[in-house]
Amino acid sequence: MAGLFSKFLGDPNERFLKNLQPLVEEINRLEKKTEGLTNNELKSKTEDFKEFLAKGGLVEDILPEVFSVVREAAKRNLNQRHFDAQILGGIVLHQGKIAEMKTGEGKTLTSTLPVYLNALEGKGVHVVTVNDYLSRRDAVWMGQIYHFLGLSVSCINHDSSYIYDPSFAKEEPQENEIFNFQFPISKQISNSNDQNRLDKIRDTLGSFKVVHEFLKPCSRKEAYAADITYGTNNEFAFDYLRDNMAYQKEQVVQREWHYAIVDEIDSILIDEARTPLIISVPDEESAELYKTFASIVPRLNAEEHYSVDEKQKAVSLTEEGIERVEKLLGIGDIYTEKGMKYVHHLNQALRAHVIFRRDKDYVVRNGEVIIIDEFTGRMMPGRRWSEGLHQAIEAKEGVDIQKESRTLASVTFQNYFKLYKKLSGMTGTALTSAEEFDKVYGLEVVVVPTNKPMIREDNSDLVYAAEEGKIKAVVEEIKERHKKGQPVLVGTVSIDKNEYLSALLKKEGVAHRLLNAKHHEEEGEIIAQAGKKGMVTVATNMAGRGVDIVLGGNPSSADEANDVCSAGGLYVLGTERHEARRIDDQLRGRSGRQGDPGESRFFVSLEDDLMRIFGSDKIKNMMRTLKIPEDQPIENKMITRAIGSAQAKIEGMNFDIRKHLLEYDNVLNKQRGKIYGLRRKALFANKDELGEIITGFFDHAGEDISKLSEKEREFGKEDFANAERNLLLRVIDMLWTDHLEAMDYMRSSVNLRAYGQRDPLIEYKNEGARMFKQMEDSMGDTFVKLILNVQKTQGMKNEESTFRNSKLEIRNSRPKVGRNAPCPCGSGKKYKKCCGK
């Protein structure tokens, strides 16, 4: 039906771009006039624009002139001029849409147009990148444009923050401060007058390397105060959570969420959206249970004791399996004698052993289990699976088991990025996820045309009956292409398959470079040489998104580039189809950049995970009936459609998972907004505003607030106001942490109610609302009881005090009782579940 409408009404994407064309033409008409401005006149335009906006002018009214100014600044500082396609992309981004731009089309330069325009409003613009390296690179590279025009630029990294400052340069480059830049250093460092020093750097590092300089260390707060801030999605979201745990207003670093441009937006807002960000503290949980179940699970048999659902990545015990576990543990009934805690540990141990594979889902390095990102193939140090799964895998691998943790704060990327008044993004692959972008974020995808025609040849898949036959064919294909001098980029889906193929190529005497998360230190140098004549690079998904491979190598002479072009350009060989079409498209996109020649093909077998789990039985039966040799490929439209159908199934299933996660997180997000709003109000409130909050608590608790006047005289007004503020923040944090834990347990339990024909989500909403109301009531009562028992003490060190900047302690006349000990009130409950709550 959609195709029928397009036939009569035309392509909506084309119509949209056609409507933008007059704007592009107006910007081009201004170019001659802008070229005639002196440097000082060009710089002064920033103040003119700001003044116009301050008087109530609209951003749209100055867009053509602003874009023309940025284009000219780029020409003078980077020796790069925005193409018309980049101008189109800049308009799309400014309008709060997603710009799909192919690899090599210059997304980074494109973003400077809307970034500068929106930064003129003085509210800060965030540019979100996929890793710390890119945030530093882009802050320095594009910082030249912004700094030239009088705007401040910063970047935030995991453990540091920087302000771009051309006057800040180090004496000598250090080894760990050298980053691989894919543009000439002469264009990069154009503001320094020390030509001798630049020559020395160029001689030492090569013309496509740059030194980590011009980035001056600064505080986190200073970085966010800049007009433009670069950083990763993780850092922006974690700073949001940390701000809402601050005990002093000076510790709050972020400003309002004005405008964000998300680079590789499909990776950040879709691929990473299934995992919420969590700030946690270690809990007092014993590691023995993990070890116990890690030793039991290998003694269970598949099918007999447990069943596996590979589509859902789930595993469940059979009745025989439960009996076997009970026998091994020496108990009669695991559910009644040991409860849900043991069952939970058992399930996680099963998942760890059966579903999660070493060198595919994770690696073990220096005694640690490190997650491998399934979409990028990169290691994710510091990230841990939740709900005890990480500990279960640590027990499986025999490494030290880290303590379980309690969640202090959490947020999903979906809900964090919805905080921005305007959000946009760019990527080479967004169209296949357009529906999700629209439904979840309200973002429209616009496909921006390439600057030069795409001439890459995308060949149809070669399908084999067996894995072994496919791999033999892959090795032969690589040998053939290598022999004729064509550079080959081989894409593999995991580290173990990456290393297996490498071993086969070594056996055949094919020289090649290996790139995976275990060899990430050499990534820059490997990628820089991947386009050289006859070079073979065997890589995981690390060589996909965001990687530019220059024909002839980086740097290359015209002769080297011509030799590679004559051989057919870069040949991308995929050894397996990925679950998402976007990942395949990203791999293909390494070839054919900016009108270069290139070629791509995927080799598929019916034993690949994708086809084995999601492929139809009709195809498998057909292959068996035809008795096709395992090393003979099939080119069949039905099979090709089946591959696309299998990928669409998985994409739909993953969309449902993310949608499901978001529906649950939306319940918590409303509560989070209310709590963070109260907390921020308390943190920034003056004495009268704070008094209003506290009076409300006393009224709710039915207590007479005039007791407090005596405390105020005892402490002094200022000290007592600090005590009230800090105690209030502490009570909010304590009860919110308990509430998050209770909501987590409750979410696990409501799923069982589906067996009673009740909707788990509705149950979660209703139960969650009741629990939140209970927490709010408890908050007021707890605060009132504690503030009435606050006593003044001397000699406490401020930095060691629970309440910063106030010499106070809360004394309790009751004896100290362990959290798991029986409550002294005689209820029969544990203390933490009774009076300790």
Side-chain angles (χ1 to χ4, degrees), residues 23-41:
L23 205 52
V24 175
E25 290 167 5
E26 186 180 351
I27 294 163
N28 288 337
R29 280 195 298 272
L30 287 167
E31 186 168 18
K32 201 78 176 170
K33 179 183 174 184
T34 310
E35 281 177 340
L37 298 174
T38 65
N39 281 353
N40 286 335
E41 287 171 335

Side-chain angles (χ1 to χ4, degrees), residues 285 289 293 338-346 404:
E285 181 64 49
L289 274 178
F293 285 108
K338 293 298 183 179
M340 288 303 295
K341 187 173 186 178
Y342 264 53
V343 176
H344 174 73
H345 275 281
L346 175 58
E404 272 198 280

Side-chain angles (χ1 to χ4, degrees), residues 77 143 218 240 278 341 396 460 599 758 794 803:
N77 287 272
C218 68
Y240 162 71
I278 297 171
K341 187 173 186 178
K396 166 191 169 183
S460 58
E599 198 176 343
R758 289 151 77 183
Q794 298 297 324
F803 308 127

Side-chain angles (χ1 to χ4, degrees), residues 379-442:
M379 288 193 293
M380 303 172 74
R383 292 285 287 272
R384 291 176 66 81
W385 285 296
S386 59
E387 299 177 355
L389 175 60
H390 211 99
Q391 287 88 344
I393 292 174
E394 287 168 336
K396 166 191 169 183
E397 295 293 344
V399 301
D400 288 343
I401 299 170
Q402 305 297 316
K403 288 181 178 178
E404 272 198 280
S405 52
R406 293 191 77 204
T407 299
L408 299 181
S410 71
V411 71
T412 57
F413 284 129
Q414 289 107 318
N415 277 318
Y416 171 71
F417 282 105
K418 283 180 180 179
L419 292 170
Y420 287 90
K421 288 173 186 166
K422 184 163 73 173
L423 180 67
S424 65
M426 47 194 183
T427 178
T429 48
L431 200 58
T432 54
S433 299
E435 181 188 0
E436 185 166 354
F437 280 124
D438 180 45
K439 287 185 176 177
V440 176
Y441 301 100

Side-chain angles (χ1 to χ4, degrees), residues 72-140:
E72 186 61 29
K75 283 155 61 176
R76 296 186 192 187
N77 287 272
L78 304 182
N79 196 26
Q80 293 180 328
R81 177 186 176 276
H82 295 81
F83 302 127
D84 283 5
Q86 291 170 312
I87 296 289
L88 275 173
I91 299 169
V92 169
L93 291 172
H94 167 66
Q95 292 183 352
K97 294 178 171 64
I98 295 173
E100 178 176 290
M101 299 178 71
K102 299 303 178 190
T103 301
E105 289 299 301
K107 293 191 293 289
T108 306
L109 187 64
T110 297
S111 67
T112 58
L113 300 162
V115 165
Y116 173 78
L117 175 60
N118 286 271
L120 293 169
E121 295 180 273
K123 297 174 183 176
V125 171
H126 294 170
V127 184
V128 187
T129 63
V130 291
N131 58 51
D132 282 348
Y133 155 70
L134 287 175
S135 71
R136 292 191 300 264
R137 185 200 75 172
D138 294 351
V140 172

Side-chain angles (χ1 to χ4, degrees), residues 570-584:
L570 180 67
Y571 178 50
V572 171
L573 190 159
T575 60
E576 204 166 318
R577 283 285 197 161
H578 293 83
E579 288 190 355
R581 287 169 291 179
R582 289 181 294 105
I583 311 300
D584 291 341

Side-chain angles (χ1 to χ4, degrees), residues 24 45 64 81 133 260 416 427 481 531 537 587 624 679 755 787 835:
V24 175
K45 283 291 180 184
R81 177 186 176 276
Y133 155 70
Y416 171 71
T427 178
R481 301 285 179 153
T537 308
L587 180 62
R624 278 195 289 267
R679 203 185 184 285
Y755 294 112
I787 197 66
C835 295

Side-chain angles (χ1 to χ4, degrees), residues 546-686:
V547 171
D548 278 349
I549 295 175
V550 179
L551 297 188
N554 191 359
S556 68
S557 67
D559 289 341
E560 287 175 304
N562 287 335
D563 285 347
V564 173
C565 286
S566 300
L570 180 67
Y571 178 50
V572 171
L573 190 159
T575 60
E576 204 166 318
R577 283 285 197 161
H578 293 83
E579 288 190 355
R581 287 169 291 179
R582 289 181 294 105
I583 311 300
D584 291 341
D585 291 342
Q586 285 287 352
L587 180 62
R588 272 201 179 106
R590 300 316 98 200
S591 176
R593 61 192 291 281
Q594 279 291 326
D596 286 341
E599 198 176 343
S600 75
R601 190 191 290 276
F602 280 85
F603 285 62
V604 179
S605 96
L606 296 188
E607 292 179 349
D608 293 347
D609 286 347
L610 178 77
M611 296 305 292
R612 183 174 55 80
I613 300 169
F614 294 93
S616 70
D617 291 332
K618 190 188 291 184
I619 295 169
K620 295 169 189 173
N621 293 333
M622 183 190 78
M623 296 286 280
R624 278 195 289 267
T625 304
L626 294 174
K627 294 181 181 178
I628 295 168
E630 64 174 26
D631 59 349
Q632 182 179 321
I634 308 161
E635 289 188 67
N636 183 289
K637 286 185 179 179
M638 188 176 84
I639 294 177
T640 303
R641 282 197 301 269
I643 293 170
S645 174
Q647 289 178 311
K649 272 186 204 172
I650 301 172
E651 287 167 5
M653 189 180 75
N654 287 337
F655 180 16
D656 289 340
I657 291 171
R658 289 187 292 267
K659 189 180 170 203
H660 188 64
L661 171 72
L662 185 59
E663 285 171 340
Y664 277 89
D665 192 62
N666 282 340
V667 176
L668 204 57
N669 195 51
K670 287 179 183 175
Q671 298 176 357
R672 184 189 297 118
K674 201 167 182 183
I675 288 294
Y676 284 0
L678 173 63
R679 203 185 184 285
R680 189 165 282 250
K681 186 178 178 183
L683 185 63
F684 286 93
N686 58 36

